[in-house]
């Protein structure tokens, strides 16, 4: 009798592509999609996305795979929030690789886009300036001027659309 024994061992961790995040500039109430390509010499055991919203704790999600493409959609995030994230891929030999980490995560900002809120701030700044009710240091004046210019630029862009 002959016994054939085949031993295989993958000594390298999976390779993770750059993380694609869609949309690149989110709006309010918009789901966020993450996608990566993960390859390895052996079978991929799992691919996980870990996220942390503002000062909250880390949450880990299993990404769904189709061939070498793995993806996950998460719920919308509040305007003005920052989402930190990273991906971990593990093969059948428990070799793991990270794209980002808890110590060095990627960052995804949800910008403040409420023009009405910015316009209210602009109106308040103008009123304070006109009434001379408040002395503001030079650095604050420059900041407030830049904010007003940003609001005006956004209004022009909004009108062109």
């Amino acid at each position: 009798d002959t016994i054939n024994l085949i031993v295989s061992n993958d000594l390298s961790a999976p390779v993770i592509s750059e993380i694609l995040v869609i949309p690149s500039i989110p709006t309010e109430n918009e789901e966020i999609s993450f996608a990566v390509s993960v390859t390895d010499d052996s079978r991929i055991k799992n691919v996980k996305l870990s996220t942390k919203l503002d000062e909250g704790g880390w949450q880990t999600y299993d990404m769904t795979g189709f061939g070498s493409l793995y993806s996950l959609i998460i719920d919308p995030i509040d305007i003005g929030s920052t989402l930190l994230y990273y991906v971990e891929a593990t093969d059948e030999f428990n070799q793991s690789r990270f794209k980002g980490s808890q110590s060095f995560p990627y960052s995804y900002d949800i910008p403040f886009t409420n023009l009405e809120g910015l316009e209210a701030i602009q109106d308040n700044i103008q009123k304070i300036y006109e009434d001379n009710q408040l002395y503001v240091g030079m650095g604050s004046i420059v900041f407030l001027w830049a904010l007003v210019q940003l609001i005006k630029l956004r209004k022009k862009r909004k009108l062109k659309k």
Side-chain angles (χ1 to χ4, degrees):
D1 291 325
T2 303
I3 298 176
N4 292 328
L5 179 62
I6 299 173
V7 176
S8 64
N9 189 10
D10 177 6
L11 299 176
S12 61
V15 176
I16 305 171
S17 70
E18 289 302 315
I19 304 168
L20 176 64
V21 184
I22 300 172
S24 57
I25 301 175
T27 59
E28 195 170 13
N29 299 323
E30 192 168 13
E31 291 179 325
I32 302 168
S33 299
F34 295 85
V36 293
S37 175
V38 179
T39 57
D40 193 65
D41 293 335
S42 62
R43 186 182 66 78
I44 301 295
K45 183 175 173 182
N46 59 53
V47 178
K48 296 181 180 288
L49 174 76
S50 294
T51 65
K52 178 180 176 185
L53 185 59
D54 295 323
E55 299 303 317
W58 286 98
Q59 302 289 323
T60 301
Y61 307 93
D62 288 321
M63 297 183 81
T64 303
F66 182 75
S68 64
L69 180 64
Y70 290 80
S71 63
L72 177 74
I73 298 173
I74 63 171
D75 291 333
I77 296 170
D78 292 336
I79 297 298
S81 297
T82 297
L83 181 72
L84 302 178
Y85 64 94
Y86 66 92
V87 170
E88 177 186 8
T90 305
D91 67 19
E92 65 183 329
F93 294 100
N94 291 320
Q95 302 282 352
S96 293
R97 184 173 313 244
F98 292 84
K99 197 70 155 180
S101 67
Q102 282 190 11
S103 300
F104 299 100
Y106 290 91
S107 179
Y108 185 72
D109 295 317
I110 316 305
F112 182 72
T113 56
N114 182 345
L115 289 176
E116 293 166 1
L118 290 175
E119 289 167 357
I121 292 169
Q122 180 185 10
D123 292 343
N124 287 337
I125 291 168
Q126 186 67 33
K127 180 170 179 19
I128 290 169
Y129 176 77
E130 288 171 358
D131 293 346
N132 293 316
Q133 295 177 354
L134 178 67
Y135 173 78
V136 182
M138 201 57 173
S140 296
I141 290 171
V142 171
F143 170 77
L144 296 176
W145 176 84
L147 180 62
V148 169
Q149 299 309 310
L150 174 65
I151 293 166
K152 288 179 181 177
L153 179 63
R154 287 189 173 187
K155 281 184 181 178
K156 286 180 187 175
R157 287 184 180 167
K158 188 176 180 183
L159 292 174
K160 287 181 181 179
K161 290 183 179 180

